[in-house]
Amino acid sequence: QLQLVESGGGLVPPGGSLSLSCAASGFTLTGYAIGWFRQAPGKEREGVSCIDIWGTTNYVDSLKGRFTISRDNAKNTVYLQMNSLKPEDTAVYYCATALRQVCYRDLGEYNYWGQGTQVLVSS
């Protein structure tokens, strides 16, 4: 059964860092693009970053320079390193795949989602 499992969330003070992991089971991440998304309380889910099978990355403009996506194919895992966190980064973070090689902007293209991991940025 295809599954994505996020981990690494938690409580961090403003300016702190967190590294989120997205581990796959039931399939190999190597052949697919993986996206990170987030949903803040009362807001719609939004794209954060994506990495395709060739390692090409993209980010929402407001997060460039603070967030870094990477993949470790040997561990079948995709990571999201988040630095200089702000209270407005508070959200549930999800990873997802469309089982395609490239990234998509449309969240509707992603049909496999993890359960999410909570990130709370607060002093």
Side-chain angles (χ1 to χ4, degrees):
Q1 183 178 358
L2 191 155
Q3 276 192 315
L4 293 169
V5 179
E6 303 94 337
S7 61
L11 173 63
V12 61
S17 298
L18 279 177
S19 180
L20 305 184
S21 299
C22 172
S25 63
F27 75 109
T28 303
L29 284 177
T30 307
Y32 306 108
I34 303 295
W36 279 100
F37 304 83
R38 68 184 184 183
Q39 187 165 17
K43 295 188 177 181
E44 293 187 353
R45 194 170 298 187
E46 63 177 357
V48 171
S49 183
C50 186
I51 185 167
D52 66 19
I53 67 164
W54 299 280
T56 302
T57 60
N58 57 61
Y59 302 89
V60 64
D61 286 344
S62 61
L63 299 177
K64 285 180 181 177
R66 294 197 298 122
F67 287 18
T68 303
I69 191 171
S70 62
R71 64 193 306 155
D72 185 334
N73 291 333
K75 295 184 178 180
N76 215 26
T77 300
V78 171
Y79 303 96
L80 184 69
Q81 177 66 39
M82 306 186 296
N83 298 327
S84 302
L85 284 163
K86 304 175 181 180
E88 51 264 42
D89 294 319
T90 293
V92 178
Y93 285 71
Y94 301 88
C95 61
T97 183
L99 293 183
R100 307 279 180 84
Q101 294 179 334
V102 298
C103 295
Y104 294 91
R105 288 183 176 271
D106 184 357
L107 272 66
E109 295 288 343
Y110 293 83
N111 44 7
Y112 292 94
W113 292 80
Q115 82 290 346
T117 186
Q118 175 72 55
V119 172
L120 177 61
V121 184
S122 175
S123 54

